[in-house]
Each structure stands twice: as C-alpha cells, then as structure tokens.
Amino acid sequence: MEFPKEEVGKRIRYLRRLQGLTSEELAKLAGISQSMISQIERGQVSPSLETLWKLSHSLKVPVFSFFETEASDAVTIFRAGEAQLIKRVRPNVSYELLSPSSGKQMSFFKMNVSPGEDLNAPFMYHAGEECGIMLSGSLRIEVENEVHMVHEGDSIYFDSSLPHRFMNLGDKDAVAIWVMTHTF
C-alpha cells in the first residue's frame, strides 16, 4: 500500500488556507522550508512523521486529521452544538465550522471576533470568494485599502484574491455567518 501523499497534501493545504495562513507563514511556524510545504501540498513528497507532527502542532489539529476522508453522502447535517470550533492564529477570532472540513468547494462557518482588533493586522489574500452576514456587532472590513463598515443585518461579498482584513473596533463581540470558496 502506498502513502496517500496527494490526499494528505490537499488536506494540509485546505487546513492552512482555512486558517488564513500563507505557505511561508506555516513553514515558519513549523520550522520547515516553504519549498517543503509546497512539495507536500502538491503531493510530490511523502512527509516524515516528524514533519506531520510539526504541521499538526502548527495548525492546531490532530495528526490524524490529515488522513480524514469526507463521507460520500450528498447531504451533511451539523446539529446545534456539534460544530467544530477552530481557533486561529489571531487569538481574538474563532470559527465554528458549519460544513464538512475538506474536499468541498466552499466552507461555511460562524465567525466570532472579540473587540480590540489591532489596526496593524496583516492583510490576507487567497484564491476564491467570500461573503457573510453580520448577526450581531460590527466589523471594519478592508478590501484592497477600501474601508467598509458592516453592521448587524448587513452582508458583504468580495473577491478573496484582493488583500483584505477585518477588525472589531466595537465594545462587544462581532458575530457573522461566513462562506468562503476555495480551490484545491
């Protein structure tokens, strides 16, 4: 039996992008080269157990999550309270995953941004599109240096390949339902 390097690579790429990390950022966190990350994600090399451990630690996921496969069911239901909570590199942002975690063309999640976001937060950009609706609170969303204030009940759509960042300048949590498309 051969190591499923292509599938593991796709899964690592998916988890990295889901967390808003570039391959350079993940490489730095894991203490391995960016070229190694690229080769792993493209299924060109079989990573060692030590490398998988470093990646899982950096992505804050169990090593076995790199080997999970999606059920082939056409319908997936997440019952209230069953969604997976994902913390990001930014300590004041958490995501509750409301869709299957890999192998799909989009991610659906509930995003919670605590107050006090730094105006020096780095811009993110990645392939795909994003849209969301604010359930409560407000977010300051910058897309390609244009500032948009999104308040409770407002929705936003933008091309994720444009540099973007968001912050909560209010005094209460900002909660939104968000959808991102991505390519594998």
Side-chain angles (χ1 to χ4, degrees):
M1 178 180 263
E2 191 173 314
F3 183 81
K5 60 187 176 186
E6 292 85 10
E7 293 305 314
V8 169
K10 286 179 185 178
R11 182 78 174 142
I12 290 169
R13 181 186 314 123
Y14 172 80
L15 291 166
R16 173 181 61 77
R17 288 178 174 172
L18 184 65
Q19 295 190 25
L21 295 172
T22 66
S23 57
E24 293 84 9
E25 291 168 331
L26 179 56
K28 186 175 180 181
L29 286 171
I32 59 179
S33 71
Q34 188 278 329
S35 64
M36 175 61 79
I37 297 288
S38 177
Q39 290 173 341
I40 291 169
E41 288 185 352
R42 290 182 287 141
Q44 294 180 331
V45 299
S46 296
S48 68
L49 183 57
E50 180 180 356
T51 299
L52 288 174
W53 182 86
K54 288 178 179 180
L55 290 169
S56 74
H57 180 73
S58 300
L59 292 168
K60 296 177 177 44
V61 298
V63 172
F64 65 79
S65 68
F66 298 146
F67 302 95
E68 290 178 345
T69 58
E70 286 302 315
S72 61
D73 296 338
V75 176
T76 304
I77 296 174
F78 286 83
R79 301 288 180 202
E82 292 179 356
Q84 179 183 4
L85 183 64
I86 300 172
K87 283 297 239 182
R88 303 296 179 179
V89 175
R90 296 161 57 187
N92 68 323
V93 181
S94 65
Y95 299 87
E96 190 176 331
L97 192 58
L98 304 174
S99 63
S101 61
S102 69
K104 304 299 179 190
Q105 295 177 4
M106 65 181 156
S107 295
F108 178 51
F109 52 92
K110 183 176 179 181
M111 179 173 68
N112 189 315
V113 183
S114 300
E117 181 64 28
D118 183 357
L119 283 172
N120 295 318
F123 282 94
M124 301 174 281
Y125 53 93
H126 46 87
E129 302 168 310
E130 295 185 34
C131 61
I133 184 167
M134 293 302 303
L135 299 180
S136 63
S138 299
L139 285 177
R140 179 182 194 267
I141 302 174
E142 290 181 52
V143 181
E144 203 167 45
N145 296 316
E146 194 172 307
V147 175
H148 307 275
M149 290 303 298
V150 184
H151 306 284
E152 184 174 326
D154 293 345
S155 61
I156 186 170
Y157 160 86
F158 58 92
D159 180 334
S160 302
S161 67
L162 299 173
H164 59 279
R165 65 182 174 181
F166 55 88
M167 55 209 69
N168 179 353
L169 301 178
D171 56 3
K172 67 176 190 169
D173 283 1
V175 180
I177 297 295
W178 217 256
V179 176
M180 288 182 6
T181 64
H182 35 239
T183 57
F184 292 96

